[in-house]
Amino acid sequence: MTQSVVVQVGQCGNQIGCCFWDLALREHAAVNQKGIYDDAISNFFRNVDTRVVSDGDSISKGRISSLKARAVLIDMEEGVVNEILQGPLRDVFDSKQLITDISGSGNNWAVGHKVFGSLYQEQILEKLRKSAEHCDCLQCFFIIHSMGGGTGSGLGTFLLKVLEDEFPEVYRFVTAVYPSNEDDVITSPYNSMLAMKELNEHADCVLPIDNQSLFDIISKIDLVVNSGKLGTTVKPKSLVTSNVGTVTKRHKKPFDAMNNIVANLLLSLTSSARFEGSLNMDLNEISMNLVPFPQLHYLVSSLTPLYTLADVNIPPRRLDQMFSDAFSKDHQLIQADPRHSLYLACALIVRGNVQISDLRRNIERLKPALQFVSWNQEGWKTSLCSVPPVGHSHSLLALANNTCVKPTFMELRERFMRLYKKKAHLHHYLQVDGMEESAFAEAVSSLSALIQEYNELDATKSMPVPDVPRLSVAM
Amino acid sequence: MSIVTVQLGQCGNQIGFEVFDALFRDTQCSPGLCSKRENEAYQASCKERFFREEENGVPVARAVLVDMEPKVINQTLSKAGQSGRWKYGQHACFCQRQGSGNNWAYGYSVHGPKHEESIMNLIQKEVEKCDSLSGFFIIMSMAGGTGSGLGAFVTQKLQDQYSSSLKMNQIIWPYRTGEVIVQNYNSILTLSHLYRSSDALLIHENDAVHKICAKQMNIKQISFRDLNQVLAHQLGNVFQPTYSEDGSSHYRRDPLGDLMEHLVPHPEFKMLGVRNIPQMSENFLAYSTFTWPGLLKHLRQMLISGAKMEEGIDWQVRPPFSGLPPLGKMSVHKDLHFNTSIANLVILRGKDVQSADVEGFKDPALYTSWLEPVHAFSMWKTPRAFDKYEKSAALVSNSQLLVKPLDMLVGKAWNMFASKAYIHQYTRFGMEEEDFLDSFTLLEQVVASYGSLGP
Amino acid sequence: MGRRGRRVEGAARALPEAIAALSRSLPAGPSPEIFRRAKFDRPEAAPALWQLLFRVLSPLAANNASTDLAPEAQARVVKSALVSQGYPRSALLQSPEGGSQGSRELLLALSWLLARGPWLEQLLAQTRVQLGDELPQCECDILASREIPAPHVQTERPVDLRLVEWLMGKLRFRWRCLMSSQQEQCTLLSKIHLYTSGCHSQQRLGHLSVAETEMLRDPENGQQLLQALESENIRLEAALEWRRCELVFWQWMDTVLDACSLESPAVTSQPTVLPMISEHGLRELALVKQELQALQEELQEVAEPRRAAWEAQVGGIGQRPEWSTIRKTLQEAVERELVALQGSWEPSSNPAPPQRPHRLVRSKDKSPGPQGLQAAKVIRTLSAQEASLKSVLHQLQSQCQRELARLAGALPGLIWIMAPGH
Amino acid sequence: MLGAKVDCLLPTDCARRLVAEMQGALDACAHRQRQLERSLRVSRRLLQVWEPARTPAPEPETKEEAATPACTPNAQDLKELELLTQALEKAVRVRKVVSKARQRDRTPSLASASNAATSGATAPAHSQAPSQASSLASGARSTKGVQRATVPSRSADPECRRRSRGDRTQERTEAQVTGSGPGLRGQQMAPGAVPPSTELFTLKEKGTLLQLPVAFRKAASQNSRLWAQLSSIQASDSTDVTRAAKTEFLHKLQMASGSSSHRPSAAEVEAHVQSLRKARTLLRLHMQKELSTAPTDWMQEYRGLLILEGLQTIVGQCLHRVQVLQAAVTEQLPGLHLVEKPTQASSLGGGEMDTSWSPELLLYSSTEELQTLATLKLRVAMLDQQIHLEKVLMAELFPLINTQEAGGSPQLALCRAAYSLLCEGGEQFLTVLRDDPTD
């Protein structure tokens, strides 16, 4: 069995990470009733005998003694991490997994990337190595950070390069939270653009998340809940927003709910690698199937049914609706409409009591409405995991490599260009040691090249592509 | 003679379990109307072939389980253990922690060489437990990475190491509309490599089996387990004992060898499809009666019309020049759908099997022009009923049945290859574009060769 | 007559005994009286002799497959067998088939067979009761039947080369099937030998053979085996006796020959006889000739330039005083080498595969076991043989490949893609 | 549909020859396979549980088999019990018949007497019994044994019960003791040495306790003595006088037949051809060996030259021999003597050298060694066959390819098939692609 290590960077990364650990613990608690440390739990947690002082020893079998998250927490401010350490999740982390500073990155990518990068490189590396040593077979790093801030985008992307050099065999999955239009950080277009170049070059897979989309989804859930229709009730044991483990206990704070969605995304993504199913999907299969060209590794995700994300008990609608929803605009975790763009590839990760025939039926049903690139007309990757999310009968995570990410990138470029033309705030960056202006131009051209690749694919959308002539056998 | 089964990857291991379970269950079935002695001989013959005895009396499958991740193997072992009827060998498994990630190249070029020694040792241990080894039955899918890539590697090694033993690969053809996105690449790589190293490719299409589950078995929500059970039933129907040709009292010693000698002697024609009849849900079985002429008529029409199951057979299709009056104008076009055979093997089991008449399969019009029925047709039988069916017939056919799916598969892979999509995933592990081209070339030839059989 | 007369007189008693011994050593041999009558060409002796010759000459009869063949057919078989072995007399070959005539000619033919070599022993050996376990004497003889068999199905339809490919594939599968059966047989033999070790009354054998074990398991079969063994012993005893006193028979045969040589003096042509040599043999001969000619040309191609180069060079070397002795030694060495080479295809000088019957005995490693041929030694010989055959095959294959490649090169617009590994 | 149909048909003569050759090879293999199967069946049976091949009591199953298949599985148990009782009763009867028969006839062969009696009682089932028994696994056997041992407890007769285990060996031993006919060979045959156990056993368990019967031992040793004598007497070949007499006889016969010269027989030609074939192979190998080693000094260079020239001479001799043979065979030059003495290789009528007729021991030390030995033998034979076929195919196919229109479809088809057959032994195939894909 393989293991994954979560690296959460910056405020946003740590908040999402915190939600994630809370949910992961609860999911395993629900599935693993006997309290035996098994392969599924070992994916994200190691079992440590606390009576033994020496920390290095993990227990590979037997009863669960004390679970420690396979995580590295990095922030250049102390606030969030301290809150976590004082909260209910404090036992799953220990100080050896943390890297904090007090100064903060000041929403400056260059500070995060260049200053803290070189300052903490050794320390980061040491913690990563330590976490890797605790694994039998480390398969994947999940890196969670935001794009708009300084620490997350700067140090988070710095980390990618370090990982690539140090662990070339281990996959790097980045969950990147993109700033919404109304983002209050003025420099966020700069930070995002500079980070994008790093993601382009050093990530295996990026799951872009858009704050705005998360917000819309939460609003929609609220609407359903508050409308009182459908006889909804708050579920006592649901996974989602009643997150006792998170930093604050205020239900109404939208960020909590939003973070929970992202945490759920990670749980679903790894479900098939952790639990049994009739059609397994390992994490390394994701990039294999969904990344046809090295640069095009941005996967648009959608989670359905949405009520799995809420504390509400809506009577299950038809199973088929779940599949339809996954392709609708409202369910995407970025502002995008995959149905009207071009699919390069699509993965359906199904959990719960769903059989292959349900999957086939829905693919057949949905296919005509979707456009796939000419050379991948049947670009479906499917998995069936028999363990559903806690409290629900089934769920679906759709990952799409779709040209619909392009508008997000174009908008990012536009916002960047608006600032960059005026050279606004540029000096904050150029002050930083090792930061040169060329970095900006390079970042733009990197993103433009990416956009161009999507454009070229989009261009094939409307015109019929003739089959390439095959090898011709003479006899 | 014994057959050592090698189960590879998730698909191979899940199917392997169902196959052994089906074989064993069948031997425990009420023997129908054959004598007790007869039944004992049947059981003994099946056991020698697929199971070995251990001290405690529980039969042990002659199988080696290989996967690159532990989940499925653990599940399979425990299912077999729970059955209490038979089990897998204690040290017959090989698994690693990390799968091949749907990457053929990873399975073939990384996992293969890395674990060659351990896997071949396991196989050798199993081989040493056979007094007489007929060959290997290698179960794998061709869509994924472990089954397909490692499967091709292991088959190659078996060919090197046991060149005179037979190798039959049971291959699962993925759903046409995708299970794995790179399945077409993985498939062409698998098929072309196996065409070099294996003796016969017994192919089951998931789409076809799925339809059987839906239409014939009336299963509403179809699971992989359902598919695998149908498949296991078909395989059982082929490999359970039948009488040898010369004397009627002996069971065939080497079904694998006999089957191959009949069906796949030509190097360009190695793809076999299986059809069987009847196949239905148990609920209906009780209300159904069958006659040999009826079953064989249907089976023959399934063959010539290329039908994958009994339901929805196109009765308009007629063999060309068979002397039958054409059915109006239709028949001219229908000829185009006629499925030409190279060679067929019909297996009959059950009551009154002596009276079954297979003349319909000996019509030269069914076969390609260069092979006469005397070379191209053979029949096996036994009065022992198979798995709850009073009478049942199976057809193993080397015919054009699979050329269309193959053609489509090659076409899709070629399209993808022309756009260079996903190639980087393979070149990472030491493959070159040249390797793809080799595979395409070989398979284009196979498509052309099968295509040129027709009338 | 006088000189011989005394001898015949002395042999008067010995002759019937010798003939009786011969008779007993033959399978279902006729009585001495038949021989006597045959000398006088009496018709009543003919059927028995036809029968005898058929039995000993027909491979079918050895399998008891067609002993009930019509007399005419039997006669045909006998004649063709004699012809193929080079029997010179045409009188018999022209005699009416299976009739009662020519009993003397039959006697002559029988004697001719006896005179040529250890025919009697070979007959006995062919039918010997097998007690021990053997590997087939020489698999080559069994597999490679050089005679062209008549096709089972005289195909009316034209034959496509793909059918030949199909049949070749079948043959490959049969080979593999033989392999695995052979492996199983070895496993089982070895087990039986191991499980019965120490059982055999003959110390040097140690364990029982399959036949012996089977005898214990199934006494009825054992009874038959014993009977067969005893009757073989009787025939062997008779053969020994015949060997001791056959001289008198040959002296007598002289008189038989004298009697008939007057009757059939000069038959010059052999119009009715079956063709002496099969077409197959001729074709084989032509094939060998072709190959030898090709070899000759190749040798010429390499040898001539070398000779020329050598002549050019030899000027300097030829001056040296030691040259003539060196040349002589070299020439002698080469001659020896080539004589040895030439000898290696004469069958008499090829004792490598054991032609003698042998009995498989499992012996413990390294213990000073009984005398015999070591399997390891035979394996070495066979391996060498296998390797040389393999290289011959590869050589033929690459010859074909060159030939086909030449053809391929001549065709524009086509790419030939061979199987990987070439 | 997907490909153009192109035949590659062979001319009749060629077709006939190739098919006949292939078929011949196939038949030879099948023949050998059948032989092997037969001996395998015997060996396999020996390794299974030992019990007499034919049980005195007819097995209930055989009865059931003969019965119409109408009996339902439900009633089966009942019926089986009934049949079993019947069978036991019959067994008693049979036994009585046997002993009576023995007393009455005093037949020399006990076996045949009991056999006749038993087969009279059990009719047709008998002939099948041994072969069916052979296909039963030991597992199935032993359960049956147990069953039979326990079920008939209804029967009062204890002898019946023991008998029902089917231990024929026991019966035989007993019979021998009671019968003890004077000087009967058949009785000495009885394997009194088989462990006097009524239990079923396997060779593995009790094989080492077996002993050969005295009569057999005697006959066997006599047999080997006789063969040895025959060998030695032949080696000395009685006297020179006898040999001279024979030679003279042959000579006279030859003279009397009108043709004084020796005309080669088919067997002799075959022998010649075989030796020539071998010669050609060895010569070629020798040439290649010579050509592959580069001479390091002038002495070796000279030596190589001598060898090549010597080989040339030998090939010339061989060619001459071929011509003489051809001539002799086609009788264009009657009366010509062969240059070399014909080799004495024909299967009959030659081989004065090889005179030993008694078997030699072939010693092996492990199963693996035996397997290697057998495999090698087989492989040599197969290679021989393959080389032969290769040559036949070469001789038939190349002329054909060369006469086809170059580049035409039939030629391509022919080339492809020929490539597969000639260069790959029929295992792999060749693909021919068009350079211009628009075509």
Side-chain angles (χ1 to χ4, degrees), chain A residues 1-3 39 136-139 169 171 271-282 284-285 287-294 319 344-347 353-358 360-361 363-364 367 374-376 378-382 384 466-475, chain B residues 10 14 69-72 74-75 96-104 106 175-184 186 207 210 220-225 227 406-408 410-412 414-426 428-429 437 440-441 444-445 447-449:
Chain A
M1 190 60 113
T2 57
Q3 289 86 36
D39 280 346
D136 287 341
C137 178
L138 174 58
Q139 186 175 32
E169 304 288 310
Y171 286 88
S271 61
S272 190
R274 288 178 291 145
F275 301 113
E276 285 175 354
S278 61
L279 187 57
N280 288 338
M281 179 162 96
D282 211 1
N284 52 5
E285 292 169 23
S287 70
M288 179 69 197
N289 282 284
L290 294 177
V291 183
F293 303 106
L319 183 66
L344 305 185
C346 183
N353 179 27
V354 180
Q355 293 302 343
I356 184 68
S357 57
D358 304 318
R360 303 318 310 170
R361 185 180 64 245
I363 288 177
E364 297 295 343
K367 234 186 92 182
S374 65
W375 41 262
N376 205 11
E378 278 128 16
W380 297 93
K381 165 69 186 172
T382 52
L384 294 171
D467 276 352
V468 188
R470 305 232 309 242
L471 295 174
S472 159
V473 172
M475 183 60 30
Chain B
Q10 173 164 33
Q14 285 173 343
E69 55 120 23
K71 263 190 298 183
V72 178
N74 290 340
Q75 222 176 338
Q96 286 293 301
R97 299 192 203 92
Q98 178 165 310
S100 307
N102 291 159
N103 193 332
W104 190 91
Y106 197 70
Y175 282 104
R176 217 140 299 161
T177 49
E179 281 164 53
V180 169
I181 290 170
V182 286
Q183 65 186 29
N184 296 327
N186 292 339
D207 282 308
H210 192 106
K220 290 282 168 301
Q221 207 188 16
I222 300 160
S223 66
F224 272 107
R225 180 134 205 217
L227 298 182
L406 180 64
D407 188 47
M408 280 166 65
V410 173
K412 285 180 201 166
W414 182 253
N415 265 343
M416 195 179 261
F417 183 69
S419 73
K420 303 271 181 273
Y422 294 101
I423 299 296
H424 74 283
Q425 306 274 20
Y426 292 83
R428 273 170 72 191
F429 298 111
L437 277 175
F440 280 116
T441 309
E444 291 286 9
Q445 182 64 57
V447 169
S449 295

Side-chain angles (χ1 to χ4, degrees), chain C residues 86-89 112 257, chain D residues 248-263:
Chain C
Y87 182 60
R89 277 182 74 84
W112 180 79
L257 200 55
Chain D
E248 198 192 326
F249 169 75
L250 285 175
H251 184 66
K252 272 177 88 173
L253 189 76
Q254 184 84 40
M255 298 302 287
S257 65
S259 64
S260 57
S261 73
H262 178 80
R263 192 176 288 115

Side-chain angles (χ1 to χ4, degrees), chain D residues 141-157:
Chain D
R141 276 276 170 177
S142 45
T143 23
K144 236 165 53 187
V146 171
Q147 216 172 17
R148 262 187 255 130
T150 50
V151 175
S153 54
R154 309 157 130 228
S155 165
D157 185 358

Side-chain angles (χ1 to χ4, degrees), chain B residues 116-129:
Chain B
E116 176 183 346
E117 209 184 320
S118 321
I119 296 172
M120 294 310 285
N121 278 346
L122 273 189
I123 292 175
Q124 188 177 340
K125 276 194 196 125
E126 205 53 52
V127 166
E128 281 165 5
K129 286 171 188 153

